[in-house]
Each structure stands twice: as C-alpha cells, then as structure tokens.
Amino acid sequence: MSELFDAIDALVASRSPLPPPAERKRLRQAHGLTLEEVAATLEVRRATVGAWESGKTEPRPPQREPYAHLLKRLAQLYPSPTAATRNGTPPTTPAEVTPAAPSAPTEAASSAAAAAVTAPVPAPAAPPPSPAAAPRPARGSRRHGAPRAAAANSPAPQGSGPYAHGPLLILDADDEQQVTGYGTGGLLLDVPARSLPALVEWALAEARVGAQKLHASGKDADPLLVLTAAACERYGLPAVLSDAERSAGRLPEGHKVIKLLERAGWKLTRRGLGPWARIYRPVTGGRRQCVQLCIPSWNALDDRSWGHAAKLEPAELARVLGVYAHRVMTPVGSSAVSGLELMTALNPPTRASEPDQDGKRHSEHRPGSLGTQALDPAPCEAVDGHPVLAHLPRFHIRGPEERLFEEAYDWARDLTDTECMQSHLVGIDVNLAFGAAANGAVVGLDAPPEHVTRPVFDPAVPGSWLVDLSHVDLSRVKVAKQWRDLEGGLLPSPFTPTGEQPEGPAWYATPTVAYAVELGYDVTPAEAWVRPRSGRFLDGWYKRLRDAYVATMADLGVAEKLPPGEFLEAMDGYKGRDPELGIVVDAVKMTVKGGIGKLQEKARGGGWVPGQAWPALARPTWRPDIRAAVISRARINMHRKMVALAAATGRYPVAVLSDCAVYTADGPSPLDVLPYDQDGKTVPGSFRLGVSPGMVKHEGTQDVLWGVGVLEQLAAEGKVANLARYIKTGEVTARDTGE
C-alpha cells in the first residue's frame, strides 16, 4: 500500500506548478545564483537550466519537484513586483535601497522602459548609500540585485536624476547572448544593445549611468562599462588579446568593431580600443558624449593594483569598482592614470567667467590650478632625453650637480654587535606615505620656473636649489630646536636616496634644503630655479584619498584612534574579513603612488628618440618638480621620525626602503620598538601606530639570525641586502640572488 502512495506522490510531483520562464530567471538572479550552481544542485547541465528559463523546454521528473521547490522558496524571498502590487503590498527591495514613488512617464523614462530597465532608486531626501554597505555575496556566486520588471513601459523613478543607476555597470552575457548589467547596490539591468555602437548610444541615452562632478568647475564622470569575456564575444570583441595585440596594447585599426564605431560617427582616443578605451563624439551644443570601456580579460585590472578583481563574478566586481568610484572616482584607466586624473577632477584648470555685456560666460583660468598649458621643466628637473636637454652629448651622464635626484629611500647597513644580540627584526610601514607628504606641500602652479643666481634660500618658495649640504653632521643635530648628540653612521643621510652623505654641491627640492636648516645648519645656494606662483595644489587630492582609505579600513574593522594594542589586533588579518574591500584598500594605495609617479611619466615605445617630445609632455600635469617635492617631503618625514626615536631611545634603523623601516628588538611586536606610556603617548615627532596616513603599521617580523643569514648570503654574491625588502614574507627571491 505504501508503494501506491509513493506512486501517487510521484505523479503529483511530475506536474508541480512552475512560474513562467521569465520569472524563473528573475528569481535565480535575484538571489545571486548562477546557472552553474543551479545545474550542479539539480544534477543537470547548465544549458538545461537555461532552456527552462527561456521556455524552450520544461523540467521533467525527478528534477521538476526540487526545481519547483527552489523557485517557491525564492518567490517567498523575492515576490514579483507586479504580484506584490496586485496584492496591495509593496514589493520587496534590498534593505539599503528605498524605492521612490513613481511619476508620470517622461520621454527618457519611456526610452528606458523600452530597454526593460527597472531598478529601485533612493528617494531624493535620503543620502546615497555607500556601495560598501551592500551585503557581500558569497564567493563563487552572484549577488542578488534589485528586482527587474519584465514588463515594458515602466516609468522612471521619481527624482532619480541622470545617474540613478550609479557610476558603472559590469556587463555579462549568458548562453542565449542576453546581456545583463550589474551595478552598485545589487542593481540589475537588461541591456538591449546588440552591437558596440548601440551599446554606447544606450549607455548615454537610456542607462542613466555616470557620476556627478567632484568640483563645481569640473565635469561629470563618463559612464563606465566593464565587459566580461562573455560580453566581449557578444559584441564582436576577442575574449583575450593575441600576442601582437597585447604588445600593441590595442586592437588593430582595421578591426571590424572599430569600423562599426567609425561608421556610427564614434571616435577613439589615441590609445585606441584597448584594455581601457574612451569612445566619444566631439562636443556639440555643450553636450559631452563619451563612454569609458574597461575589459578585465585584456588585463585592464592589473593585479599589482587590483589583486584578484579580474577573477570576480560580475556582481562582486561591481561592488569593488563601485566602492572605489564612490570614494575615489570612477576609474578611467590604471590606478596611476586615475590618480592623475583625480588631481584635475578636484582642481580643474578653468572655470566659467562672470557674464559679459551680452550675458555670456566664457572659460577662464581658475586660480590655484595648474592651468591648461604644459610647462617645460628646469633643466635640472628634466628626465634624460627631454627636449630641453637635446643640446647635451648623446651619452652624457648627468651627476648630482646637473640633475635633481629626489627619490625614496633604499638604504641599509650592517648590524652592530649589540643589535646581533637581540632576537627580532621588526618592520614598521608608514600608511600612505606619499599621500601624507602631499598634504600641505607648496608647489609651483601655472608659471614656468625662474632662474636665479646666488639666491637667499626661502623655505616658502618651491623650486630646485643647487647647494652643498656635505657639511651637515648627523651626529649632532637639532631635535625640537634643541641640539642632540647621535651615534654617527647609524642613520641614513636625509639628502640622498641611498642614505650616503653628499660629497659636494647637488640639486635639491625645497623641502630637502629646508630640513638641513631645521637640523641647525646654514645653507648657501649657488643658483636656483624657483616658482613664485605657488599653492597647495594637492591638498584636496590628499583629503579625498585619505578619506577613502580611512573609511574602507573602518569597514574592515580598523578604526581611527584605536589604542596601540587594539590597533595591532585589528590589523591582524584585516583583509580576510572582506577580501573585496581589501582589494579597494590596495587600489587606493596604488592610486596614491601611481598618481605621484605619473607626474614624471617617461617616454614609452620603441619609436621614441632622445631629444624628441613624447605624449605625456603635452599634459599640464607632467610636473617632475611636484613629484620631486612630494618624494622629498616623504623622505624627510621618514628621517625626522627616525631622528626623534633615536634621540629619545637610542634605537636606530638597520634598513629603510621607501616607507618601511626595520629595527632590531627583543620582541616581535612594534610595541617592542616604539615606546608607549600608560596614557598611550609615545615619543613626540616619532612613529605612532595607527591607521591614519603618516602613522605606521606592522610590516613584518623575522629573526635576527634570518637577517644575518640574508646579509651574508647576498654579501657573498657582492650585493647589498636591504632587509626591509624581505621583512614582510622573509623570502629572498631568485631575482635578488641572481639565480
């Protein structure tokens, strides 16, 4: 008899009711499930689930009943917006999004509806949610998004604005060549475009993607479309570049997709259709038409800056790039390019003038900016091969008396006998060292440098100074305006990147010469290139990046103003709490470093000849003098802290690499190096543990015996080992040993 009841149950299950095919797909995507996950659970092929969702086939026993059960559970979590409205209850939306009341359809709304684009948008009175606040999807699955209505003629949300759907979309295509756009906050959009030109048109006319300008005199951010490998194939692009294309950094000019764009009246910038591409039409009627493309499978998201971001699912990648766009800016290229563009976005070169007699406004120079014209550097500031040095012999090597050489530290020394008796080597690293150095930096603005002979040094004037600093004695210096005696030879010189004492006149940036005066020594420059028109051009840039870094670290559980012990505990494994936000932290740090580096971008490409200009020189932001000033300040800040610690405790670094210093200690913690009293105070002017830029964190700890072994190993090969380079992992690579 039981077999008979089982047979009846099976017969009923074979006809388990199912929602319409479109609703099946909506429910799966709402919960962030992939076709592969559903197929693996039901033990069928991926294409089978896709066919169920398209209506081509219907599920059959034994999969029909569990599939119906899955959809029933999902429908309880994500009821259909139309069904919920019919029942008199509001539709379910993500917790962080508050839907606005619908308004009468507008022309733009009707256009968007035709593309089946529907998503909840915050009400005007509510502040925009931070993308980081959205729940993080489980690894290997897509985050559930806002419900998508399958019906057409959906009105635009009231008060949504032109960028209601956020700064960017990640576009992915399924087996049926249907393209879905994944936005921030779990947003999902149907993308109707069937070609790349149509996609660009849709992004500008209907997608409502972009971001408001960061400065009143700036411009809005262009929509960013990130194409997965599947989306590339859908739009006629290769999933990966060939070796020749990768070497060129772009598709060849005759590619069929480029021809399609040209026929539709679209243009590409000089970098062409590569990993980062800008597709635009000339401005007409004051209306800017430009869309940014990012293609991760073409190595657009360099793992040095973006870690494993290129391997993320579309919804996860939308969260990572969305947090970055929300807190820094919509990325427009590598982290270095974005860092440079952020400077201009926050400090635009022009502004609208007051109305003239006809009531018209014109573009005029904005005070405090770098202006619109590129400037030649002083000869001492120019990199080798620059046109201002074309008169020099081809193989001429410039020494310190001809060339400004402000770079970060790379210095190390042997351990003393006392240091060898201690047990540990502890590395401490300065947070956003170059960012902290940019804060408050006075730099030249929009006027060329002026040459002066036998000038009187003025620390308030930015420039480059030819001066002899070899007389500065680091064994006796002023610390907090008091003369202090230090052990000679245990500190690097602050005047050279190698830490070696200068031997005669050399070119230095203003902060370096000012530090010599601070240490208590007179300076007498022989000549200088100075920039009287100056300002704190980078202050806003620093604040934007600082806030992004601190906010993201807080999301990872590392807050400001934590006591030293709690800070070190919070930093332990902080990236593992949310790996996606860990990517954002690294991207912010690389934006700082890369942005400063781009101020002195060198020539690239095999066709360049020394003495000829290269494209970067046409930018007003090609400013090696600003880069030199920031790096000078970073190195000086590092030295000032080391001097303060040595004067108070007798501790000296054994190695310094850029923003990392290594000390010996009797314990493995930075607290064994840095003295803190019961009130949480440490040596004034020295290193302080904390998350804020300019403060330090733990870089790594190794045994002293390990350090001695590394020094002996590389010394035997005729190399100088900088222990700060290996302190984090303890690994010495084959490249370092020459194997």
Side-chain angles (χ1 to χ4, degrees), residues 457 468-478 483-485 495 513-524:
F457 176 68
D468 188 351
L469 300 180
S470 60
H471 63 290
V472 177
D473 183 5
L474 292 180
S475 64
R476 183 166 177 76
V477 296
K478 277 188 177 180
W483 285 99
R484 300 294 297 270
D485 292 326
F495 309 127
V513 184
Y515 186 58
V517 176
E518 178 185 328
L519 292 176
Y521 292 86
D522 295 329
V523 296
T524 309

Side-chain angles (χ1 to χ4, degrees), residues 66-131:
Y67 184 53
H69 180 67
L70 168 66
L71 295 176
K72 181 179 179 181
R73 292 288 305 276
L74 293 177
Q76 293 172 350
L77 294 172
Y78 313 102
S80 169
T82 55
T85 303
R86 193 166 51 244
N87 295 333
T89 58
T92 302
T93 59
E96 71 273 19
V97 179
T98 303
S103 64
T106 62
E107 180 181 353
S110 299
S111 179
V117 178
T118 303
V121 180
S130 166

Side-chain angles (χ1 to χ4, degrees), residues 374-378 381 386 388 448-449 531:
L375 301 176
D376 280 339
E381 298 164 350
H386 192 282
V388 302
R531 292 175 168 82

Side-chain angles (χ1 to χ4, degrees), residues 79-334:
S80 169
T82 55
T85 303
R86 193 166 51 244
N87 295 333
T89 58
T92 302
T93 59
E96 71 273 19
V97 179
T98 303
S103 64
T106 62
E107 180 181 353
S110 299
S111 179
V117 178
T118 303
V121 180
S130 166
R136 186 167 65 90
R139 185 157 301 284
S141 69
R142 294 178 179 174
R143 270 170 73 227
H144 70 272
R148 264 188 315 193
N153 301 320
S154 301
Q158 184 179 28
S160 58
Y163 307 131
H165 294 150
L168 55 91
L169 291 174
I170 315 297
L171 305 187
D172 191 28
D174 59 20
D175 289 345
E176 300 165 21
Q177 298 297 295
Q178 296 297 316
V179 180
T180 299
Y182 294 76
T184 58
L187 174 74
L188 291 174
L189 300 179
D190 287 323
V191 181
R194 301 298 181 185
S195 66
L196 192 57
L199 177 64
V200 176
E201 296 275 8
W202 173 81
L204 291 170
E206 302 172 11
R208 292 185 289 171
V209 175
Q212 295 289 342
K213 53 194 174 186
L214 297 179
H215 189 280
S217 297
K219 64 180 186 294
D220 291 354
D222 299 318
L224 173 62
L225 303 180
V226 183
L227 275 59
T228 66
C232 284
E233 294 177 341
R234 172 66 186 83
Y235 290 115
L237 300 169
V240 295
L241 296 177
S242 66
D243 291 341
E245 292 165 346
R246 191 181 305 111
S247 177
R250 67 185 72 187
L251 292 182
E253 294 296 328
H255 193 277
K256 59 181 181 180
V257 173
I258 296 179
K259 290 182 177 180
L260 282 176
L261 289 169
E262 291 173 347
R263 283 199 292 268
W266 294 103
K267 297 179 178 293
L268 291 163
T269 58
R270 185 161 40 198
R271 61 184 175 184
L273 187 48
W276 290 92
R278 182 173 292 172
I279 304 173
Y280 71 98
R281 281 179 179 148
V283 176
T284 55
R287 180 170 175 244
R288 178 181 171 86
Q289 299 183 76
C290 183
V291 171
Q292 297 274 349
L293 293 187
C294 168
I295 306 179
S297 60
W298 294 5
N299 199 34
L301 301 176
D302 186 351
D303 56 9
R304 291 173 297 180
S305 299
W306 292 98
H308 63 281
K311 301 177 182 178
L312 294 175
E313 290 286 338
E316 295 172 326
L317 181 56
R319 179 174 181 247
V320 169
L321 295 180
V323 174
Y324 183 91
H326 177 76
R327 292 179 173 169
V328 180
M329 69 176 297
T330 304
V332 293
S334 66

Side-chain angles (χ1 to χ4, degrees), residues 285-424:
R287 180 170 175 244
R288 178 181 171 86
Q289 299 183 76
C290 183
V291 171
Q292 297 274 349
L293 293 187
C294 168
I295 306 179
S297 60
W298 294 5
N299 199 34
L301 301 176
D302 186 351
D303 56 9
R304 291 173 297 180
S305 299
W306 292 98
H308 63 281
K311 301 177 182 178
L312 294 175
E313 290 286 338
E316 295 172 326
L317 181 56
R319 179 174 181 247
V320 169
L321 295 180
V323 174
Y324 183 91
H326 177 76
R327 292 179 173 169
V328 180
M329 69 176 297
T330 304
V332 293
S334 66
S335 58
V337 171
S338 296
L340 192 70
E341 289 291 324
L342 182 63
M343 296 178 191
T344 302
L346 292 168
N347 205 331
T350 60
R351 66 181 180 186
S353 67
E354 293 297 324
D356 60 17
Q357 59 184 4
D358 297 325
K360 295 182 179 180
R361 296 180 183 269
H362 307 276
S363 177
E364 67 178 13
H365 170 67
R366 220 186 117 260
S369 72
L370 298 186
T372 59
Q373 299 297 318
L375 301 176
D376 280 339
C380 62
E381 298 164 350
V383 297
D384 290 340
H386 192 282
V388 302
L389 304 176
H391 63 283
L392 294 177
R394 183 174 179 182
F395 298 105
H396 178 73
I397 299 176
R398 295 185 294 159
E401 72 283 354
E402 294 179 275
R403 177 188 175 192
L404 177 69
F405 193 64
E406 295 283 8
E407 300 293 341
Y409 267 130
D410 187 350
W411 168 86
R413 62 172 175 82
D414 292 331
L415 277 64
T416 65
D417 292 342
T418 301
E419 290 167 340
C420 287
M421 297 300 293
Q422 296 184 288
S423 58
H424 292 87

